[in-house]
């Protein structure tokens, strides 16, 4: 099956089901125009995050890796009126653009952006007692993912979810000798979860506009 076919099917799904509005489309277009890398979740994946947050009745969400705010908007739109989303981003320029995209999408009141390394941001949230969060979306630099997950265990509520993106990495997840720190990060995540009795998880492989990849969905029974 070709990548072109995956793109056609993703386009069909986007047209038929996803319901991307002008603000979401503009977030992608403005991000591209500003030279941000095209590494946001796809429309279908954004909608999946939104649906999971709604099914889970998430009122407090933590996101790692804002980029241009595309996934932030999908997640924030799942929140109740008094909900909140904290999103952590290393790059101040990306965060500025994301802020404009988030405002235009009408969810600025719900979103708190923090700029800096995500691990330090998580440690600050722990120190502030800013948790617990109902849902954590890990989508920042990939080698640090096990540390993000371990920190997330201190910030998520019992019964909360941690979703981690880009874990399959074109199939390299199964390659013990990959040597790629991003793959090693995702294998470290799986090892950590496998040894953690509080977590029940699975990883789903995906194909589509973003190639062959996948995400891990983890339910934390005894979190913060
Ligand atoms: C895959 S992109 C996020 C995509 C975004 N979640 C979306 O789907 O719209 C990863 C982001 O993580 C940011 N990042 C990289 N290293 C980071 C770090 N140490 N702390 C926080 N953010 C980081 C990058 O600048 C980039 O914006």
């Amino acid at each position: 099956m070709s990548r072109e076919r995956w793109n056609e099917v993703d386009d069909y799904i986007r047209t038929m089901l996803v319901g991307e509005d002008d603000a979401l489309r503009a977030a992608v277009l403005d991000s591209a125009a500003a030279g941000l890398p095209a590494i946001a979740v796809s429309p279908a994946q954004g909608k999946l995050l939104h649906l999971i947050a709604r099914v889970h009745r998430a009122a407090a969400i933590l996101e790692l890796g804002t980029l241009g705010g595309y996934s932030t908007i999908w997640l924030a739109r799942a929140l109740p009126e008094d909900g909140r989303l904290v999103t952590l981003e290393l790059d101040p320029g990306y965060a500025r653009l994301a802020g404009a995209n988030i405002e235009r999408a009408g969810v600025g009141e719900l979103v708190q952006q923090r700029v800096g390394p995500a691990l330090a941001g998580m440690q600050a949230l722990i120190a502030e007692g800013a948790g617990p969060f109902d849902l954590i979306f890990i989508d920042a630099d990939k080698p640090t993912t096990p540390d993000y997950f371990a920190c997330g265990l201190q910030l998520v509520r019992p019964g909360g979810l941690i979703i981690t993106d880009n874990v399959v990495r074109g199939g390299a997840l199964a390659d013990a000798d990959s040597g790629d720190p991003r793959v090693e990060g995702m294998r470290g995540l799986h090892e950590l979860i496998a040894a953690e009795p509080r977590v029940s998880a699975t990883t789903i492989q995906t194909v589509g506009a973003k190639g062959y990849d996948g995400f891990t969905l983890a339910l934390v029974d005894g979190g913060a």
Side-chain angles (χ1 to χ4, degrees):
M1 191 72 59
S2 70
R3 181 134 186 187
E4 269 166 28
R5 192 62 163 164
W6 299 347
N7 284 339
E8 285 165 8
V9 173
D10 246 359
D11 270 351
Y12 178 77
I13 294 166
R14 181 176 50 76
T15 311
M16 295 300 289
L17 301 180
V18 170
E20 218 188 15
D21 69 358
D22 287 347
L24 280 162
R25 276 192 290 273
V28 174
L29 290 174
D30 286 4
S31 297
L36 272 60
I39 52 174
V41 295
S42 71
Q45 290 165 345
K47 180 73 176 279
L48 177 66
L49 288 171
H50 173 86
L51 291 172
I52 291 172
R54 278 176 59 188
V55 168
H56 190 53
R57 298 190 194 286
I61 296 175
L62 172 62
E63 176 183 65
L64 280 54
T66 318
L67 192 65
Y70 184 77
S71 57
T72 318
I73 295 169
W74 274 115
L75 285 166
R77 286 182 169 174
L79 289 168
E81 267 177 24
D82 59 348
R84 67 191 175 105
L85 185 154
V86 179
T87 184
L88 310 178
E89 170 58 49
L90 183 64
D91 187 302
Y94 294 0
R96 251 190 315 280
L97 181 76
N101 288 335
I102 290 164
E103 279 299 328
R104 179 172 46 200
V107 289
E109 294 282 294
L110 302 173
V111 175
Q112 183 192 114
Q113 292 183 258
R114 294 189 179 197
V115 179
L119 200 55
M122 293 180 94
Q123 281 154 356
L125 288 168
I126 293 169
E128 291 164 26
F133 292 90
D134 303 304
L135 190 162
I136 300 177
F137 178 47
I138 301 177
D139 193 19
D141 55 310
K142 307 306 168 182
T144 318
T145 299
D147 296 331
Y148 293 146
F149 192 92
C151 235
L153 290 176
Q154 298 177 61
L155 285 164
V156 75
R157 72 163 166 82
L161 299 177
I162 304 180
I163 302 171
T164 307
D165 201 14
N166 307 126
V167 301
V168 174
R169 315 211 61 80
L173 179 65
D175 183 359
D177 304 318
S178 153
D180 179 336
R182 296 164 300 181
V183 175
E184 283 166 0
M186 294 313 172
R187 289 179 64 87
L189 170 74
H190 282 74
E191 283 154 25
L192 194 161
I193 292 175
E196 175 51 73
R198 289 176 296 167
V199 178
S200 178
T202 190
T203 292
I204 297 298
Q205 303 185 68
T206 57
V207 294
K210 301 288 166 176
Y212 168 35
D213 211 328
F215 64 92
T216 299
L217 178 67
L219 172 66
V220 184
D221 287 328

